[in-house]
PDB file of all heavy atoms in Angstrom:
ATOM      1  N   HIS A   1      93.170 109.495 106.679  1.00 73.00           N
ATOM      2  CA  HIS A   1      92.532 108.268 107.155  1.00 73.00           C
ATOM      3  C   HIS A   1      93.502 107.085 107.245  1.00 73.00           C
ATOM      4  O   HIS A   1      93.079 105.956 107.413  1.00 73.00           O
ATOM      5  CB  HIS A   1      91.376 107.902 106.224  1.00 73.00           C
ATOM      6  CG  HIS A   1      90.347 108.980 106.110  1.00 73.00           C
ATOM      7  ND1 HIS A   1      89.269 109.080 106.957  1.00 73.00           N
ATOM      8  CD2 HIS A   1      90.251 110.037 105.260  1.00 73.00           C
ATOM      9  CE1 HIS A   1      88.545 110.136 106.625  1.00 73.00           C
ATOM     10  NE2 HIS A   1      89.114 110.729 105.598  1.00 73.00           N
ATOM     11  N   VAL A   2      94.788 107.374 107.177  1.00 78.00           N
ATOM     12  CA  VAL A   2      95.776 106.297 107.209  1.00 78.00           C
ATOM     13  C   VAL A   2      95.885 105.704 108.612  1.00 78.00           C
ATOM     14  O   VAL A   2      96.015 104.495 108.784  1.00 78.00           O
ATOM     15  CB  VAL A   2      97.155 106.809 106.742  1.00 78.00           C
ATOM     16  CG1 VAL A   2      98.233 105.764 107.008  1.00 78.00           C
ATOM     17  CG2 VAL A   2      97.116 107.154 105.261  1.00 78.00           C
ATOM     18  N   PHE A   3      95.812 106.570 109.629  1.00 85.00           N
ATOM     19  CA  PHE A   3      96.014 106.113 110.996  1.00 85.00           C
ATOM     20  C   PHE A   3      94.688 105.872 111.721  1.00 85.00           C
ATOM     21  O   PHE A   3      93.618 106.225 111.248  1.00 85.00           O
ATOM     22  CB  PHE A   3      96.869 107.126 111.758  1.00 85.00           C
ATOM     23  CG  PHE A   3      98.217 107.344 111.133  1.00 85.00           C
ATOM     24  CD1 PHE A   3      98.537 108.550 110.534  1.00 85.00           C
ATOM     25  CD2 PHE A   3      99.159 106.325 111.129  1.00 85.00           C
ATOM     26  CE1 PHE A   3      99.781 108.746 109.946  1.00 85.00           C
ATOM     27  CE2 PHE A   3     100.401 106.509 110.545  1.00 85.00           C
ATOM     28  CZ  PHE A   3     100.718 107.719 109.952  1.00 85.00           C
ATOM     29  N   HIS A   4      94.780 105.257 112.874  1.00 93.00           N
ATOM     30  CA  HIS A   4      93.627 104.991 113.740  1.00 93.00           C
ATOM     31  C   HIS A   4      92.568 104.140 113.033  1.00 93.00           C
ATOM     32  O   HIS A   4      91.375 104.462 113.069  1.00 93.00           O
ATOM     33  CB  HIS A   4      93.009 106.298 114.245  1.00 93.00           C
ATOM     34  CG  HIS A   4      93.999 107.208 114.906  1.00 93.00           C
ATOM     35  ND1 HIS A   4      94.988 106.740 115.746  1.00 93.00           N
ATOM     36  CD2 HIS A   4      94.156 108.555 114.852  1.00 93.00           C
ATOM     37  CE1 HIS A   4      95.710 107.778 116.174  1.00 93.00           C
ATOM     38  NE2 HIS A   4      95.239 108.868 115.645  1.00 93.00           N
ATOM     39  N   ARG A   5      93.021 103.054 112.427  1.00 96.00           N
ATOM     40  CA  ARG A   5      92.094 102.126 111.789  1.00 96.00           C
ATOM     41  C   ARG A   5      91.572 101.119 112.826  1.00 96.00           C
ATOM     42  O   ARG A   5      92.213 100.863 113.846  1.00 96.00           O
ATOM     43  CB  ARG A   5      92.761 101.376 110.641  1.00 96.00           C
ATOM     44  CG  ARG A   5      93.396 102.232 109.577  1.00 96.00           C
ATOM     45  CD  ARG A   5      92.523 103.346 109.059  1.00 96.00           C
ATOM     46  NE  ARG A   5      91.143 102.955 108.774  1.00 96.00           N
ATOM     47  CZ  ARG A   5      90.225 103.788 108.291  1.00 96.00           C
ATOM     48  NH1 ARG A   5      90.524 105.056 108.057  1.00 96.00           N
ATOM     49  NH2 ARG A   5      88.994 103.364 108.046  1.00 96.00           N
ATOM     50  N   ASP A   6      90.400 100.551 112.542  1.00 97.00           N
ATOM     51  CA  ASP A   6      89.800  99.566 113.439  1.00 97.00           C
ATOM     52  C   ASP A   6      90.303  98.175 113.058  1.00 97.00           C
ATOM     53  O   ASP A   6      89.777  97.538 112.155  1.00 97.00           O
ATOM     54  CB  ASP A   6      88.274  99.637 113.359  1.00 97.00           C
ATOM     55  CG  ASP A   6      87.604  98.718 114.365  1.00 97.00           C
ATOM     56  OD1 ASP A   6      88.322  98.054 115.150  1.00 97.00           O
ATOM     57  OD2 ASP A   6      86.360  98.658 114.377  1.00 97.00           O
ATOM     58  N   HIS A   7      91.322  97.719 113.770  1.00 98.00           N
ATOM     59  CA  HIS A   7      91.971  96.443 113.480  1.00 98.00           C
ATOM     60  C   HIS A   7      91.447  95.313 114.374  1.00 98.00           C
ATOM     61  O   HIS A   7      91.924  94.190 114.316  1.00 98.00           O
ATOM     62  CB  HIS A   7      93.489  96.600 113.668  1.00 98.00           C
ATOM     63  CG  HIS A   7      94.305  95.460 113.162  1.00 98.00           C
ATOM     64  ND1 HIS A   7      95.049  94.625 113.981  1.00 98.00           N
ATOM     65  CD2 HIS A   7      94.497  94.999 111.899  1.00 98.00           C
ATOM     66  CE1 HIS A   7      95.671  93.726 113.257  1.00 98.00           C
ATOM     67  NE2 HIS A   7      95.358  93.915 111.993  1.00 98.00           N
ATOM     68  N   ARG A   8      90.430  95.597 115.187  1.00 98.00           N
ATOM     69  CA  ARG A   8      89.899  94.578 116.094  1.00 98.00           C
ATOM     70  C   ARG A   8      89.220  93.437 115.328  1.00 98.00           C
ATOM     71  O   ARG A   8      88.766  93.626 114.198  1.00 98.00           O
ATOM     72  CB  ARG A   8      88.873  95.196 117.043  1.00 98.00           C
ATOM     73  CG  ARG A   8      89.374  96.325 117.914  1.00 98.00           C
ATOM     74  CD  ARG A   8      88.215  96.840 118.733  1.00 98.00           C
ATOM     75  NE  ARG A   8      88.496  98.005 119.539  1.00 98.00           N
ATOM     76  CZ  ARG A   8      87.762  99.113 119.536  1.00 98.00           C
ATOM     77  NH1 ARG A   8      86.715  99.205 118.723  1.00 98.00           N
ATOM     78  NH2 ARG A   8      88.064 100.122 120.326  1.00 98.00           N
ATOM     79  N   LYS A   9      89.117  92.304 115.996  1.00 98.00           N
ATOM     80  CA  LYS A   9      88.333  91.168 115.503  1.00 98.00           C
ATOM     81  C   LYS A   9      87.481  90.701 116.682  1.00 98.00           C
ATOM     82  O   LYS A   9      87.989  90.084 117.632  1.00 98.00           O
ATOM     83  CB  LYS A   9      89.230  90.016 115.033  1.00 98.00           C
ATOM     84  CG  LYS A   9      90.190  90.388 113.882  1.00 98.00           C
ATOM     85  CD  LYS A   9      91.537  90.803 114.399  1.00 98.00           C
ATOM     86  CE  LYS A   9      92.590  90.915 113.319  1.00 98.00           C
ATOM     87  NZ  LYS A   9      92.397  91.954 112.342  1.00 98.00           N
ATOM     88  N   ILE A  10      86.183  91.010 116.621  1.00 98.00           N
ATOM     89  CA  ILE A  10      85.277  90.714 117.736  1.00 98.00           C
ATOM     90  C   ILE A  10      83.981  90.119 117.201  1.00 98.00           C
ATOM     91  O   ILE A  10      83.446  90.594 116.199  1.00 98.00           O
ATOM     92  CB  ILE A  10      84.921  91.993 118.531  1.00 98.00           C
ATOM     93  CG1 ILE A  10      86.166  92.673 119.091  1.00 98.00           C
ATOM     94  CG2 ILE A  10      83.947  91.680 119.664  1.00 98.00           C
ATOM     95  CD1 ILE A  10      85.874  94.031 119.731  1.00 98.00           C
ATOM     96  N   VAL A  11      83.480  89.098 117.878  1.00 98.00           N
ATOM     97  CA  VAL A  11      82.121  88.609 117.662  1.00 98.00           C
ATOM     98  C   VAL A  11      81.480  88.415 119.027  1.00 98.00           C
ATOM     99  O   VAL A  11      82.122  87.901 119.950  1.00 98.00           O
ATOM    100  CB  VAL A  11      82.087  87.274 116.887  1.00 98.00           C
ATOM    101  CG1 VAL A  11      80.644  86.784 116.732  1.00 98.00           C
ATOM    102  CG2 VAL A  11      82.737  87.418 115.512  1.00 98.00           C
ATOM    103  N   ILE A  12      80.231  88.849 119.182  1.00 98.00           N
ATOM    104  CA  ILE A  12      79.453  88.593 120.396  1.00 98.00           C
ATOM    105  C   ILE A  12      78.127  87.984 119.980  1.00 98.00           C
ATOM    106  O   ILE A  12      77.449  88.519 119.097  1.00 98.00           O
ATOM    107  CB  ILE A  12      79.192  89.871 121.213  1.00 98.00           C
ATOM    108  CG1 ILE A  12      80.500  90.620 121.508  1.00 98.00           C
ATOM    109  CG2 ILE A  12      78.471  89.528 122.517  1.00 98.00           C
ATOM    110  CD1 ILE A  12      80.700  91.835 120.673  1.00 98.00           C
ATOM    111  N   ILE A  13      77.773  86.876 120.607  1.00 98.00           N
ATOM    112  CA  ILE A  13      76.518  86.180 120.298  1.00 98.00           C
ATOM    113  C   ILE A  13      75.648  86.143 121.549  1.00 98.00           C
ATOM    114  O   ILE A  13      76.042  85.565 122.575  1.00 98.00           O
ATOM    115  CB  ILE A  13      76.796  84.749 119.800  1.00 98.00           C
ATOM    116  CG1 ILE A  13      77.667  84.791 118.524  1.00 98.00           C
ATOM    117  CG2 ILE A  13      75.485  84.010 119.520  1.00 98.00           C
ATOM    118  CD1 ILE A  13      78.192  83.445 118.096  1.00 98.00           C
ATOM    119  N   ASP A  14      74.506  86.813 121.474  1.00 98.00           N
ATOM    120  CA  ASP A  14      73.528  86.845 122.573  1.00 98.00           C
ATOM    121  C   ASP A  14      74.111  87.377 123.873  1.00 98.00           C
ATOM    122  O   ASP A  14      73.576  87.105 124.956  1.00 98.00           O
ATOM    123  CB  ASP A  14      72.927  85.457 122.798  1.00 98.00           C
ATOM    124  CG  ASP A  14      72.025  85.018 121.645  1.00 98.00           C
ATOM    125  OD1 ASP A  14      71.565  85.899 120.895  1.00 98.00           O
ATOM    126  OD2 ASP A  14      71.792  83.806 121.500  1.00 98.00           O
ATOM    127  N   GLY A  15      75.215  88.112 123.795  1.00 97.00           N
ATOM    128  CA  GLY A  15      75.821  88.671 124.997  1.00 97.00           C
ATOM    129  C   GLY A  15      76.466  87.642 125.896  1.00 97.00           C
ATOM    130  O   GLY A  15      76.935  87.981 126.992  1.00 97.00           O
ATOM    131  N   LYS A  16      76.530  86.394 125.452  1.00 96.00           N
ATOM    132  CA  LYS A  16      77.045  85.308 126.288  1.00 96.00           C
ATOM    133  C   LYS A  16      78.326  84.677 125.757  1.00 96.00           C
ATOM    134  O   LYS A  16      79.135  84.166 126.516  1.00 96.00           O
ATOM    135  CB  LYS A  16      75.983  84.217 126.441  1.00 96.00           C
ATOM    136  CG  LYS A  16      74.720  84.661 127.164  1.00 96.00           C
ATOM    137  CD  LYS A  16      73.735  83.512 127.285  1.00 96.00           C
ATOM    138  CE  LYS A  16      72.465  83.953 128.026  1.00 96.00           C
ATOM    139  NZ  LYS A  16      71.502  82.835 128.179  1.00 96.00           N
ATOM    140  N   ILE A  17      78.483  84.701 124.441  1.00 98.00           N
ATOM    141  CA  ILE A  17      79.640  84.082 123.795  1.00 98.00           C
ATOM    142  C   ILE A  17      80.404  85.156 123.038  1.00 98.00           C
ATOM    143  O   ILE A  17      79.811  85.963 122.312  1.00 98.00           O
ATOM    144  CB  ILE A  17      79.197  82.974 122.817  1.00 98.00           C
ATOM    145  CG1 ILE A  17      78.441  81.876 123.562  1.00 98.00           C
ATOM    146  CG2 ILE A  17      80.395  82.393 122.066  1.00 98.00           C
ATOM    147  CD1 ILE A  17      77.799  80.847 122.650  1.00 98.00           C
ATOM    148  N   GLY A  18      81.714  85.178 123.219  1.00 98.00           N
ATOM    149  CA  GLY A  18      82.536  86.164 122.532  1.00 98.00           C
ATOM    150  C   GLY A  18      83.733  85.520 121.861  1.00 98.00           C
ATOM    151  O   GLY A  18      84.226  84.465 122.299  1.00 98.00           O
ATOM    152  N   TYR A  19      84.192  86.147 120.788  1.00 98.00           N
ATOM    153  CA  TYR A  19      85.385  85.692 120.077  1.00 98.00           C
ATOM    154  C   TYR A  19      86.318  86.869 119.867  1.00 98.00           C
ATOM    155  O   TYR A  19      85.880  87.996 119.609  1.00 98.00           O
ATOM    156  CB  TYR A  19      85.031  85.135 118.691  1.00 98.00           C
ATOM    157  CG  TYR A  19      84.237  83.858 118.667  1.00 98.00           C
ATOM    158  CD1 TYR A  19      82.850  83.876 118.824  1.00 98.00           C
ATOM    159  CD2 TYR A  19      84.856  82.626 118.460  1.00 98.00           C
ATOM    160  CE1 TYR A  19      82.103  82.711 118.782  1.00 98.00           C
ATOM    161  CE2 TYR A  19      84.118  81.456 118.413  1.00 98.00           C
ATOM    162  CZ  TYR A  19      82.742  81.500 118.574  1.00 98.00           C
ATOM    163  OH  TYR A  19      82.006  80.340 118.536  1.00 98.00           O
ATOM    164  N   THR A  20      87.618  86.600 119.949  1.00 98.00           N
ATOM    165  CA  THR A  20      88.609  87.559 119.496  1.00 98.00           C
ATOM    166  C   THR A  20      89.879  86.794 119.140  1.00 98.00           C
ATOM    167  O   THR A  20      90.007  85.608 119.425  1.00 98.00           O
ATOM    168  CB  THR A  20      88.878  88.655 120.541  1.00 98.00           C
ATOM    169  OG1 THR A  20      89.623  89.714 119.935  1.00 98.00           O
ATOM    170  CG2 THR A  20      89.653  88.114 121.745  1.00 98.00           C
ATOM    171  N   GLY A  21      90.810  87.478 118.494  1.00 98.00           N
ATOM    172  CA  GLY A  21      92.042  86.817 118.070  1.00 98.00           C
ATOM    173  C   GLY A  21      92.648  87.493 116.867  1.00 98.00           C
ATOM    174  O   GLY A  21      92.469  88.702 116.662  1.00 98.00           O
ATOM    175  N   GLY A  22      93.327  86.711 116.035  1.00 98.00           N
ATOM    176  CA  GLY A  22      94.085  87.281 114.935  1.00 98.00           C
ATOM    177  C   GLY A  22      93.434  87.195 113.574  1.00 98.00           C
ATOM    178  O   GLY A  22      93.946  87.753 112.604  1.00 98.00           O
ATOM    179  N   MET A  23      92.282  86.506 113.472  1.00 98.00           N
ATOM    180  CA  MET A  23      91.694  86.236 112.164  1.00 98.00           C
ATOM    181  C   MET A  23      90.544  87.156 111.800  1.00 98.00           C
ATOM    182  O   MET A  23      89.644  87.388 112.615  1.00 98.00           O
ATOM    183  CB  MET A  23      91.187  84.786 112.112  1.00 98.00           C
ATOM    184  CG  MET A  23      92.287  83.767 112.042  1.00 98.00           C
ATOM    185  SD  MET A  23      91.652  82.060 111.972  1.00 98.00           S
ATOM    186  CE  MET A  23      91.945  81.530 113.656  1.00 98.00           C
ATOM    187  N   ASN A  24      90.569  87.653 110.576  1.00 98.00           N
ATOM    188  CA  ASN A  24      89.426  88.338 109.986  1.00 98.00           C
ATOM    189  C   ASN A  24      88.519  87.283 109.350  1.00 98.00           C
ATOM    190  O   ASN A  24      88.541  86.119 109.723  1.00 98.00           O
ATOM    191  CB  ASN A  24      89.910  89.366 108.964  1.00 98.00           C
ATOM    192  CG  ASN A  24      90.671  90.506 109.617  1.00 98.00           C
ATOM    193  OD1 ASN A  24      90.137  91.264 110.418  1.00 98.00           O
ATOM    194  ND2 ASN A  24      91.953  90.624 109.274  1.00 98.00           N
ATOM    195  N   ILE A  25      87.713  87.690 108.387  1.00 98.00           N
ATOM    196  CA  ILE A  25      86.851  86.755 107.668  1.00 98.00           C
ATOM    197  C   ILE A  25      87.417  86.571 106.259  1.00 98.00           C
ATOM    198  O   ILE A  25      87.313  87.454 105.411  1.00 98.00           O
ATOM    199  CB  ILE A  25      85.395  87.274 107.594  1.00 98.00           C
ATOM    200  CG1 ILE A  25      84.834  87.522 108.989  1.00 98.00           C
ATOM    201  CG2 ILE A  25      84.526  86.289 106.805  1.00 98.00           C
ATOM    202  CD1 ILE A  25      84.679  86.285 109.850  1.00 98.00           C
ATOM    203  N   ALA A  26      88.057  85.430 106.028  1.00 97.00           N
ATOM    204  CA  ALA A  26      88.665  85.151 104.719  1.00 97.00           C
ATOM    205  C   ALA A  26      88.934  83.663 104.591  1.00 97.00           C
ATOM    206  O   ALA A  26      89.223  82.986 105.591  1.00 97.00           O
ATOM    207  CB  ALA A  26      89.969  85.941 104.552  1.00 97.00           C
ATOM    208  N   ASP A  27      88.900  83.163 103.367  1.00 97.00           N
ATOM    209  CA  ASP A  27      89.113  81.722 103.176  1.00 97.00           C
ATOM    210  C   ASP A  27      90.571  81.314 103.271  1.00 97.00           C
ATOM    211  O   ASP A  27      90.884  80.143 103.497  1.00 97.00           O
ATOM    212  CB  ASP A  27      88.504  81.250 101.858  1.00 97.00           C
ATOM    213  CG  ASP A  27      89.067  81.949 100.628  1.00 97.00           C
ATOM    214  OD1 ASP A  27      90.089  82.667 100.747  1.00 97.00           O
ATOM    215  OD2 ASP A  27      88.482  81.783  99.536  1.00 97.00           O
ATOM    216  N   TYR A  28      91.517  82.282 103.139  1.00 97.00           N
ATOM    217  CA  TYR A  28      92.921  81.880 103.180  1.00 97.00           C
ATOM    218  C   TYR A  28      93.373  81.454 104.581  1.00 97.00           C
ATOM    219  O   TYR A  28      94.451  80.877 104.739  1.00 97.00           O
ATOM    220  CB  TYR A  28      93.845  82.968 102.623  1.00 97.00           C
ATOM    221  CG  TYR A  28      93.706  84.359 103.202  1.00 97.00           C
ATOM    222  CD1 TYR A  28      94.071  84.644 104.518  1.00 97.00           C
ATOM    223  CD2 TYR A  28      93.246  85.409 102.407  1.00 97.00           C
ATOM    224  CE1 TYR A  28      93.962  85.925 105.032  1.00 97.00           C
ATOM    225  CE2 TYR A  28      93.134  86.689 102.913  1.00 97.00           C
ATOM    226  CZ  TYR A  28      93.492  86.950 104.218  1.00 97.00           C
ATOM    227  OH  TYR A  28      93.387  88.229 104.712  1.00 97.00           O
ATOM    228  N   TYR A  29      92.557  81.715 105.592  1.00 97.00           N
ATOM    229  CA  TYR A  29      92.876  81.184 106.915  1.00 97.00           C
ATOM    230  C   TYR A  29      92.738  79.657 106.927  1.00 97.00           C
ATOM    231  O   TYR A  29      93.261  78.997 107.822  1.00 97.00           O
ATOM    232  CB  TYR A  29      91.970  81.794 107.981  1.00 97.00           C
ATOM    233  CG  TYR A  29      92.199  83.276 108.177  1.00 97.00           C
ATOM    234  CD1 TYR A  29      91.269  84.205 107.728  1.00 97.00           C
ATOM    235  CD2 TYR A  29      93.349  83.746 108.795  1.00 97.00           C
ATOM    236  CE1 TYR A  29      91.478  85.565 107.894  1.00 97.00           C
ATOM    237  CE2 TYR A  29      93.569  85.104 108.957  1.00 97.00           C
ATOM    238  CZ  TYR A  29      92.627  86.009 108.511  1.00 97.00           C
ATOM    239  OH  TYR A  29      92.842  87.363 108.671  1.00 97.00           O
ATOM    240  N   ILE A  30      92.025  79.135 105.934  1.00 97.00           N
ATOM    241  CA  ILE A  30      91.880  77.682 105.784  1.00 97.00           C
ATOM    242  C   ILE A  30      92.725  77.161 104.624  1.00 97.00           C
ATOM    243  O   ILE A  30      93.432  76.159 104.757  1.00 97.00           O
ATOM    244  CB  ILE A  30      90.393  77.314 105.555  1.00 97.00           C
ATOM    245  CG1 ILE A  30      89.560  77.713 106.778  1.00 97.00           C
ATOM    246  CG2 ILE A  30      90.249  75.814 105.272  1.00 97.00           C
ATOM    247  CD1 ILE A  30      88.069  77.508 106.595  1.00 97.00           C
ATOM    248  N   THR A  31      92.669  77.849 103.500  1.00 96.00           N
ATOM    249  CA  THR A  31      93.314  77.347 102.284  1.00 96.00           C
ATOM    250  C   THR A  31      94.764  77.793 102.124  1.00 96.00           C
ATOM    251  O   THR A  31      95.517  77.194 101.354  1.00 96.00           O
ATOM    252  CB  THR A  31      92.534  77.815 101.041  1.00 96.00           C
ATOM    253  OG1 THR A  31      92.557  79.263 100.985  1.00 96.00           O
ATOM    254  CG2 THR A  31      91.085  77.344 101.098  1.00 96.00           C
ATOM    255  N   GLY A  32      95.167  78.857 102.829  1.00 96.00           N
ATOM    256  CA  GLY A  32      96.490  79.422 102.622  1.00 96.00           C
ATOM    257  C   GLY A  32      96.540  80.265 101.362  1.00 96.00           C
ATOM    258  O   GLY A  32      95.516  80.491 100.695  1.00 96.00           O
ATOM    259  N   LEU A  33      97.735  80.729 101.016  1.00 94.00           N
ATOM    260  CA  LEU A  33      97.949  81.523  99.810  1.00 94.00           C
ATOM    261  C   LEU A  33      99.141  80.958  99.039  1.00 94.00           C
ATOM    262  O   LEU A  33     100.122  80.510  99.655  1.00 94.00           O
ATOM    263  CB  LEU A  33      98.213  82.990 100.164  1.00 94.00           C
ATOM    264  CG  LEU A  33      97.030  83.789 100.726  1.00 94.00           C
ATOM    265  CD1 LEU A  33      97.499  85.152 101.215  1.00 94.00           C
ATOM    266  CD2 LEU A  33      95.933  83.944  99.676  1.00 94.00           C
ATOM    267  N   PRO A  34      99.083  80.964  97.704  1.00 92.00           N
ATOM    268  CA  PRO A  34     100.167  80.356  96.912  1.00 92.00           C
ATOM    269  C   PRO A  34     101.545  80.915  97.235  1.00 92.00           C
ATOM    270  O   PRO A  34     102.523  80.165  97.296  1.00 92.00           O
ATOM    271  CB  PRO A  34      99.762  80.687  95.469  1.00 92.00           C
ATOM    272  CG  PRO A  34      98.282  80.903  95.515  1.00 92.00           C
ATOM    273  CD  PRO A  34      98.000  81.505  96.858  1.00 92.00           C
ATOM    274  N   GLU A  35     101.625  82.239  97.464  1.00 90.00           N
ATOM    275  CA  GLU A  35     102.938  82.859  97.643  1.00 90.00           C
ATOM    276  C   GLU A  35     103.543  82.638  99.026  1.00 90.00           C
ATOM    277  O   GLU A  35     104.764  82.796  99.203  1.00 90.00           O
ATOM    278  CB  GLU A  35     102.853  84.363  97.351  1.00 90.00           C
ATOM    279  CG  GLU A  35     101.868  85.133  98.218  1.00 90.00           C
ATOM    280  CD  GLU A  35     100.468  85.195  97.642  1.00 90.00           C
ATOM    281  OE1 GLU A  35     100.090  84.295  96.874  1.00 90.00           O
ATOM    282  OE2 GLU A  35      99.753  86.162  97.976  1.00 90.00           O
ATOM    283  N   ILE A  36     102.721  82.271 100.024  1.00 92.00           N
ATOM    284  CA  ILE A  36     103.262  82.097 101.379  1.00 92.00           C
ATOM    285  C   ILE A  36     102.932  80.741 101.998  1.00 92.00           C
ATOM    286  O   ILE A  36     103.430  80.407 103.071  1.00 92.00           O
ATOM    287  CB  ILE A  36     102.781  83.213 102.337  1.00 92.00           C
ATOM    288  CG1 ILE A  36     101.255  83.248 102.398  1.00 92.00           C
ATOM    289  CG2 ILE A  36     103.355  84.554 101.946  1.00 92.00           C
ATOM    290  CD1 ILE A  36     100.715  84.269 103.388  1.00 92.00           C
ATOM    291  N   GLY A  37     102.079  79.955 101.352  1.00 94.00           N
ATOM    292  CA  GLY A  37     101.725  78.650 101.876  1.00 94.00           C
ATOM    293  C   GLY A  37     100.625  78.733 102.930  1.00 94.00           C
ATOM    294  O   GLY A  37      99.742  79.599 102.863  1.00 94.00           O
ATOM    295  N   GLU A  38     100.701  77.849 103.919  1.00 96.00           N
ATOM    296  CA  GLU A  38      99.674  77.797 104.965  1.00 96.00           C
ATOM    297  C   GLU A  38      99.642  79.101 105.768  1.00 96.00           C
ATOM    298  O   GLU A  38     100.682  79.683 106.070  1.00 96.00           O
ATOM    299  CB  GLU A  38      99.956  76.631 105.919  1.00 96.00           C
ATOM    300  CG  GLU A  38      98.927  76.495 107.037  1.00 96.00           C
ATOM    301  CD  GLU A  38      99.279  75.420 108.053  1.00 96.00           C
ATOM    302  OE1 GLU A  38     100.321  74.758 107.876  1.00 96.00           O
ATOM    303  OE2 GLU A  38      98.518  75.254 109.032  1.00 96.00           O
ATOM    304  N   TRP A  39      98.431  79.533 106.097  1.00 96.00           N
ATOM    305  CA  TRP A  39      98.257  80.719 106.934  1.00 96.00           C
ATOM    306  C   TRP A  39      97.927  80.237 108.343  1.00 96.00           C
ATOM    307  O   TRP A  39      96.838  79.787 108.627  1.00 96.00           O
ATOM    308  CB  TRP A  39      97.132  81.590 106.387  1.00 96.00           C
ATOM    309  CG  TRP A  39      97.042  82.946 107.027  1.00 96.00           C
ATOM    310  CD1 TRP A  39      96.749  83.224 108.329  1.00 96.00           C
ATOM    311  CD2 TRP A  39      97.235  84.222 106.397  1.00 96.00           C
ATOM    312  NE1 TRP A  39      96.747  84.575 108.569  1.00 96.00           N
ATOM    313  CE2 TRP A  39      97.046  85.213 107.385  1.00 96.00           C
ATOM    314  CE3 TRP A  39      97.550  84.622 105.101  1.00 96.00           C
ATOM    315  CZ2 TRP A  39      97.158  86.581 107.111  1.00 96.00           C
ATOM    316  CZ3 TRP A  39      97.652  85.980 104.834  1.00 96.00           C
ATOM    317  CH2 TRP A  39      97.464  86.950 105.822  1.00 96.00           C
ATOM    318  N   ARG A  40      98.893  80.326 109.254  1.00 96.00           N
ATOM    319  CA  ARG A  40      98.707  79.881 110.635  1.00 96.00           C
ATOM    320  C   ARG A  40      98.174  81.035 111.473  1.00 96.00           C
ATOM    321  O   ARG A  40      98.698  82.139 111.432  1.00 96.00           O
ATOM    322  CB  ARG A  40     100.040  79.405 111.225  1.00 96.00           C
ATOM    323  CG  ARG A  40     100.543  78.126 110.619  1.00 96.00           C
ATOM    324  CD  ARG A  40      99.883  76.898 111.237  1.00 96.00           C
ATOM    325  NE  ARG A  40     100.382  76.652 112.583  1.00 96.00           N
ATOM    326  CZ  ARG A  40      99.687  76.835 113.691  1.00 96.00           C
ATOM    327  NH1 ARG A  40      98.447  77.249 113.643  1.00 96.00           N
ATOM    328  NH2 ARG A  40     100.218  76.588 114.878  1.00 96.00           N
TER     329      ARG A  40
END
């Protein structure tokens, strides 16, 4: 199970609005992490 993981990031709302990009769901996208600083 190491390969072929689902790395997508997708949201669809009512079939009209969609999101994709580099972010999962986590607070460090806002707060950053001590060892690396801001998460851009």
Side-chain angles (χ1 to χ4, degrees):
H1 302 271
V2 170
F3 301 112
H4 307 320
R5 305 311 315 181
D6 185 2
H7 191 246
R8 301 178 185 129
K9 300 94 169 66
I10 301 173
V11 178
I12 307 104
I13 300 170
D14 291 340
K16 296 181 179 181
I17 299 172
Y19 293 82
T20 193
M23 288 180 257
N24 293 297
I25 302 295
D27 59 11
Y28 53 68
Y29 294 108
I30 297 175
T31 62
L33 291 172
E35 59 271 26
I36 58 177
E38 180 185 359
W39 191 296
R40 291 278 287 109

